[in-house]
Amino acid sequence: MFIVFIGPPGAGKGTQAERLAAHLEIAHLSTGEVLRQAIERGTSLGKQAEAIIGRGELVPDSVVNAIVAERIDQADCQRGCLFDGYPRTTAQAESLDEFMNERGTPLSLALEIRVSEEELKRRLLSRGRSDDTPETIEHRLQVYESQTAPIVEYYNTACLLVSIDGNGTPDEVFGRVKDCVDQRRK
Ligand code: AP5
């Protein structure tokens, strides 16, 4: 299965994608994680991304599309992949459709995780990653609304969207995620 996770910063995309990837035994691709590793290693990609992530803005579509194109050609993505934090713009969603169509492996599901803004801020402030400052969190939430939220409608139109309540414990949320996926697999 090829599944997209959509949700604002702190919604639990990474937490749930990791669990679901283990459950389905498929790959997990977090574009945010790839970028953070590149920053840690000091690569040219990392140097390009560091200031952008620090400001809470989006890395250019061409950069993340290239990361995804390279990753999904690897052997562990043959059976499926969970896309966590990608796509984040309509242009990225269109590119992902092209990649999937070229491979003949269409997306199975776009899972939107919904969490109240108050809870998102509470989670991010208690985690304290370098882009989890109050100002950057505020900007990331605005960027989500203006640039990423439109892909919810994009996947709704494609009849791929399922929205779940992301409030509650990670176990409770995973129960909902698993129910949705198991229904799609039937
Ligand atoms: P990315 O790493 O994708 O960050 P994000 O979308 O801001 O998401 P987070 O990692 O903050 O939250 P999450 O929803 O994964 O929640 P998590 O499980 O971690 O991207 C970072 C940056 O990289 C972007 O701002 C952008 O600059 C760049 N980037 C990445 N992809 C890009 C793309 N496609 N295009 C352009 N730019 C891109 O949980 C958050 C916290 O809450 C954790 O501490 C967790 O333990 C806790 N938690 C999770 N679930 C629960 C729960 N149910 N109850 C209580 N706590 C919980």
Side-chain angles (χ1 to χ4, degrees):
M1 289 181 99
F2 291 84
I3 301 175
V4 162
F5 271 87
I6 310 168
K13 302 181 294 296
T15 304
Q16 298 302 328
E18 198 179 320
R19 289 174 176 221
L20 188 61
H23 174 67
L24 296 175
E25 298 182 329
I26 59 176
H28 170 200
L29 169 54
S30 159
T31 41
E33 205 47 51
V34 171
L35 293 166
R36 278 187 290 278
Q37 283 169 8
I39 292 170
E40 252 181 56
R41 290 201 299 268
T43 64
S44 62
L45 170 64
K47 285 179 187 135
Q48 191 183 350
E50 189 165 16
I52 300 174
I53 291 181
R55 290 195 301 271
E57 284 167 12
L58 296 184
V59 171
D61 291 336
S62 57
V63 173
V64 283
N65 287 338
I67 292 172
V68 173
E70 192 194 328
R71 183 70 183 83
I72 59 174
D73 271 344
Q74 292 174 15
D76 65 332
C77 292
Q78 295 310 305
R79 288 189 60 237
C81 183
L82 299 185
F83 299 101
D84 159 11
Y86 177 91
R88 258 178 151 96
T89 62
T90 304
Q92 290 179 22
E94 288 167 353
S95 287
L96 181 59
D97 279 347
E98 277 174 34
F99 298 149
M100 295 285 105
N101 290 339
E102 277 166 18
R103 295 161 42 97
T105 53
L107 285 177
S108 309
L109 181 65
L111 244 175
E112 181 201 13
I113 307 182
R114 292 188 176 175
V115 175
S116 69
E117 191 170 312
E118 191 188 359
E119 173 66 6
L120 294 174
K121 288 180 180 167
R122 193 195 63 73
R123 289 181 189 177
L124 296 175
L125 287 170
S126 54
R127 176 177 63 182
R129 206 167 68 192
S130 64
D131 56 345
D132 287 339
T133 63
E135 300 73 28
T136 309
I137 290 170
E138 205 62 55
H139 191 55
R140 285 161 65 200
L141 290 170
Q142 286 166 8
V143 167
Y144 179 80
E145 279 311 314
S146 61
Q147 299 191 54
T148 307
I151 69 169
V152 171
E153 189 47 39
Y154 179 93
Y155 287 119
N156 190 29
T157 304
C159 299
L160 289 173
L161 183 74
V162 177
S163 301
I164 61 155
D165 179 7
N167 294 289
T169 66
D171 283 349
E172 286 167 344
V173 179
F174 186 61
R176 294 173 205 141
V177 168
K178 208 150 69 65
D179 284 349
C180 286
V181 171
D182 289 344
Q183 282 203 356
R184 282 278 159 149
R185 288 162 96 191
K186 276 181 194 159

